[in-house]
Amino acid sequence: MVKLRYICLAVAACFIVSLSSCTGGTPTADNSQSGTANSTAQTTETVNHAGHASKAKININTAILSELDKFEGKLGVPALSNKIQAGRPYGSPEDLVTKKVITQEQFDQIKDQVTVQEVVLVGEAKDVDYMTKLGLMKGHLLVAQELLDQNQPKQAEPHIGHPVEEIYVDVEDQLNERKVKEFKTTLVSLQDLVKSKPKDAKVKTNFSASEQSINGAIATLPEAQRNKPGFVLQVVNGLLDAANSEYGAAIADGKISAAIEYQDSRGFVFYADELYQGISSQLAQINPEANKAIQTSFAELKKVWPAAIPPATPVKTTQEVTKLIKDIEANSQKVIDQSSTQAQK
C-alpha cells in the first residue's frame, strides 16, 4: 500500500492530542462540538502536563497520517488515513459517517477516540510535544540512512520527505517561538537530491546538514530537561505510540503489505530505544525493576524489525507488538509517578 502522503500539508498538532496526560488526570477533549463541515468550532483546552497517549483522542481535523493510522490499523480499512484527511474539515466526529468515510458500524468502534476539539499545550506538555515531533523526524531519517546505505534511494526518499510533508508544519510555530533557524529548505533540498541524483556526493553532505539542523532544534531544550528521566520517558512513549499505529497499518492479512509504514515504525522504535539508553543508568538507580523490564521489552520489540527491508513474514503480530509497547509504557509510568512523588516532597 503506497500512501498518498502529499495530499495535504495542513496537518497541524497530531501529538497535541496524543500526548495529553494519563498521569495526573489530564482531561481529554470533549467531542460534543457544534459546527458544520465548512465551519468548525475552535473550542480549545489547555493541558499542562503530558504522559501516555493510550487514552488520548485524535483530532481528525489536524492529525498527521501516522496518527490517523491508528484507525486504519484498528478497522482494517486500506488507505483510511488518506480518506479521513481528504474529507476535512469535520464539524463533528459523526461527519466521518455522514461524509461516507466510514460506516456507522466502523465509527462505533472508534468513536471514543475521535474528536474535533483542539487542545493547547503549555509547560512541560508543550516541550514533550516538541521533542516528540523532532524525534519522529529523527526516526524517519534513521531509516532513510539505512536504506541509502543499502543502495535503496527510492525506498529512502519517502522517509526524507515525511519530516517536511507531515511534521514540519506541525512544529513550525514552536520552532519559531524557540528561535530555531529554518531548516525546511534543507530537508526539501535533500529530498530533491535523493530523487534526482541519489549517488551524488552531496547527498551525504546534505543528509548530515539535515540531521544537524534537527539536533540543533532539539538542543534548544535545556540539557537538564533532555536528560530528565520523566521527560524522556514521555517522549519515548509518544514515539512508541506512533510506531504502534504505523506497524498496525503495515500489516494486513498476516502479511507486511506496506513497506513504508513498516519502515516508519522501525525508525521510531529504534530512536526511542536510543533515547531510553541515554537515561537507563539513571533509571537503574531510581527503579531497577522497571528499568530491567523496559530493557527486556525493548530488546524483544526490536526483533520485530530485523532490517530496514521488510521480512517476508512478520516477526510478530500487531497484538504482540502492542503488548510489548504497553509493557514499556506501564513500567515507564511507574518511574514517572515515582519521580513526581519525590519532586513533591
Side-chain angles (χ1 to χ4, degrees), residues 152-204:
Q152 298 289 337
K154 289 188 181 298
Q155 291 196 50
E157 186 274 320
H159 302 291
I160 297 169
H162 292 172
V164 181
E165 295 145 11
E166 293 186 13
I167 305 171
Y168 197 95
V169 67
D170 195 29
V171 76
E172 192 164 15
D173 286 345
Q174 288 211 57
L175 291 170
N176 292 335
E177 287 176 18
R178 299 168 195 270
K179 296 180 171 54
V180 176
K181 183 179 178 181
E182 181 271 333
F183 60 91
K184 181 177 181 179
T185 303
T186 303
L187 292 169
V188 172
S189 297
L190 174 61
Q191 182 185 22
D192 290 342
L193 189 60
V194 171
K195 281 182 179 179
S196 59
K197 300 177 181 179
K199 295 186 178 181
D200 194 303
K202 290 182 180 179
V203 169
K204 184 176 181 179

Side-chain angles (χ1 to χ4, degrees), residues 6 38 51 95 100 107 144 175 186 202 217 267 284 290 336 340 345:
Y6 304 96
N38 295 317
D95 281 355
K100 298 183 178 180
F107 177 74
L175 291 170
T186 303
K202 290 182 180 179
I336 293 171
S340 178
K345 291 181 179 180

Side-chain angles (χ1 to χ4, degrees), residues 32-295:
S32 57
Q33 177 183 3
S34 60
T36 65
N38 295 317
S39 179
T40 56
Q42 295 299 308
T43 306
T44 61
E45 176 184 356
T46 300
V47 177
N48 292 287
H49 44 90
H52 300 337
S54 58
K55 296 182 180 180
K57 293 186 178 183
I58 297 171
N59 188 328
I60 52 176
N61 280 324
T62 59
I64 60 175
L65 288 170
S66 61
E67 189 72 356
L68 295 175
D69 279 343
K70 292 180 181 179
F71 300 139
E72 185 170 321
K74 183 169 184 176
L75 298 177
V77 179
L80 177 59
S81 304
N82 301 102
K83 293 175 185 176
I84 293 175
Q85 196 181 62
R88 291 171 176 168
Y90 300 97
S92 69
E94 290 75 13
D95 281 355
L96 287 172
V97 178
T98 58
K99 290 189 174 188
K100 298 183 178 180
V101 178
I102 56 177
T103 66
Q104 182 64 52
E105 182 181 4
Q106 290 168 334
F107 177 74
D108 289 342
Q109 297 180 54
I110 63 170
K111 63 183 179 181
D112 292 337
Q113 299 173 259
V114 180
T115 188
V116 293
Q117 186 178 36
E118 295 182 11
V119 177
V120 177
L121 297 177
V122 296
E124 186 177 68
K126 187 174 182 178
D127 291 339
V128 169
D129 174 69
Y130 175 76
M131 179 66 184
T132 302
K133 289 168 182 173
L134 294 174
L136 292 173
M137 289 188 182
K138 291 279 289 184
H140 279 301
L141 291 189
L142 185 155
V143 77
Q145 183 66 74
E146 289 184 306
L147 291 165
L148 286 174
D149 289 344
Q150 295 175 41
N151 197 29
Q152 298 289 337
K154 289 188 181 298
Q155 291 196 50
E157 186 274 320
H159 302 291
I160 297 169
H162 292 172
V164 181
E165 295 145 11
E166 293 186 13
I167 305 171
Y168 197 95
V169 67
D170 195 29
V171 76
E172 192 164 15
D173 286 345
Q174 288 211 57
L175 291 170
N176 292 335
E177 287 176 18
R178 299 168 195 270
K179 296 180 171 54
V180 176
K181 183 179 178 181
E182 181 271 333
F183 60 91
K184 181 177 181 179
T185 303
T186 303
L187 292 169
V188 172
S189 297
L190 174 61
Q191 182 185 22
D192 290 342
L193 189 60
V194 171
K195 281 182 179 179
S196 59
K197 300 177 181 179
K199 295 186 178 181
D200 194 303
K202 290 182 180 179
V203 169
K204 184 176 181 179
T205 302
N206 288 15
F207 201 101
S208 178
S210 295
E211 288 187 310
Q212 289 174 12
S213 294
I214 298 173
N215 290 339
I218 291 173
T220 61
L221 292 169
E223 184 177 2
Q225 184 177 27
R226 287 183 277 121
N227 293 327
K228 188 172 72 172
F231 177 81
V232 175
L233 287 172
Q234 291 178 69
V235 175
V236 166
N237 289 336
L239 293 171
L240 292 180
D241 191 60
N244 198 25
S245 6
E246 292 287 1
Y247 189 73
I251 307 298
D253 299 323
K255 298 179 181 179
I256 299 174
S257 61
I260 290 177
E261 279 69 32
Y262 165 91
Q263 290 158 350
D264 282 345
S265 55
R266 173 183 170 86
F268 300 161
V269 166
F270 278 63
Y271 184 62
D273 180 60
E274 182 180 323
L275 288 178
Y276 184 79
Q277 296 310 320
I279 60 167
S280 62
S281 60
Q282 293 184 65
L283 264 69
Q285 298 295 321
I286 297 171
N287 191 323
E289 183 179 347
N291 177 60
K292 183 178 180 181
I294 294 172
Q295 293 276 29

Side-chain angles (χ1 to χ4, degrees), residues 22-38:
C22 71
T23 67
T26 304
T28 53
D30 188 341
N31 64 5
S32 57
Q33 177 183 3
S34 60
T36 65
N38 295 317

Side-chain angles (χ1 to χ4, degrees), residues 340-345:
S340 178
T341 300
Q342 291 175 348
Q344 292 172 5
K345 291 181 179 180

Side-chain angles (χ1 to χ4, degrees), residues 302-330:
K302 289 168 66 178
K303 294 178 183 178
V304 175
W305 298 269
I309 304 297
T313 304
V315 174
K316 291 186 183 295
T317 66
T318 55
Q319 292 81 7
E320 290 170 330
V321 168
T322 296
K323 184 181 184 305
L324 286 169
I325 288 175
K326 294 303 179 186
D327 287 345
I328 292 173
E329 290 178 343

